[in-house]
Amino acid sequence: MPRLATDLRATLEMVAAAMKGAAGPWWIIAGAAAALHGVEGEVGDVDVLLDVADARVLLPRLGLIPEPGGESALFRSAVFARWTRPPLPVEFMADFACRVDGVWRSVSPATRVVVTAHGARVYIPERQELAALFRTFGRPKDLVRATRLDAPTS
């Protein structure tokens, strides 16, 4: 288990507790998932993919109301909410998609690796799938993370 920054560790503990009632699979993706794979780099928030049914149950429990505008030029979510109570903001995204070559493509990892980080049980895509996801996103920071994930681990 990589050494995690205090804020990330505390946020993961809060996410794990919040997601205990999830009926469907869920994942942490993006920078936090890369950090859990041991990739160095700044983590400014924690992105959680979950299904729409779980979002409709879990978000109100956290006092969250889904926000409009869960869409940008590159990403969109049918349900989107930002939780600011943890040390790092947490973005919950249900029915998440990425625009690739002008076409919206659903993002739903095929792999689900359990990681226990300081008592917090969370799920991330396996290393190769996460690297492929970063390449799909295609932003400079994502391509750097993909390259780091592709590097052999020691």
Side-chain angles (χ1 to χ4, degrees):
M1 168 55 35
R3 181 162 163 73
L4 301 175
T6 303
D7 285 352
L8 178 56
R9 185 176 60 241
T11 300
L12 292 174
E13 290 168 0
M14 292 177 77
V15 168
M19 296 303 298
K20 278 192 177 176
W26 60 276
W27 298 262
I28 289 175
I29 62 165
L36 288 165
H37 276 297
V39 170
E40 295 288 325
E42 185 177 333
V43 177
D45 63 8
V46 174
D47 297 314
V48 178
L49 295 183
L50 69 163
D51 68 29
V52 172
D54 279 334
R56 296 199 193 289
V57 172
L58 297 172
L59 298 180
R61 264 199 351 230
L62 297 173
L64 301 176
I65 299 169
E67 300 173 17
E71 183 171 331
S72 69
L74 186 58
F75 304 113
R76 74 175 181 195
S77 300
V79 179
F80 176 83
R82 188 171 173 91
W83 189 27
T84 58
R85 190 169 144 242
L88 295 177
V90 177
E91 294 185 347
F92 292 99
M93 300 169 286
D95 194 15
F96 180 65
C98 177
R99 188 186 304 259
V100 179
D101 297 326
V103 177
W104 288 109
R105 299 191 185 203
S106 179
V107 175
S108 182
T111 60
R112 191 167 184 247
V113 176
V114 64
V115 177
T116 303
H118 305 279
R121 185 181 177 113
V122 297
Y123 303 91
I124 57 176
E126 63 89 32
R127 192 175 186 94
Q128 289 178 323
E129 184 176 21
L130 184 60
L133 187 58
F134 283 131
R135 282 189 290 279
T136 298
F137 293 166
R139 299 173 299 180
K141 69 179 182 179
D142 297 319
L143 298 176
V144 167
R145 287 177 175 148
T147 299
R148 290 178 179 166
L149 283 164
D150 289 337
T153 58
S154 44

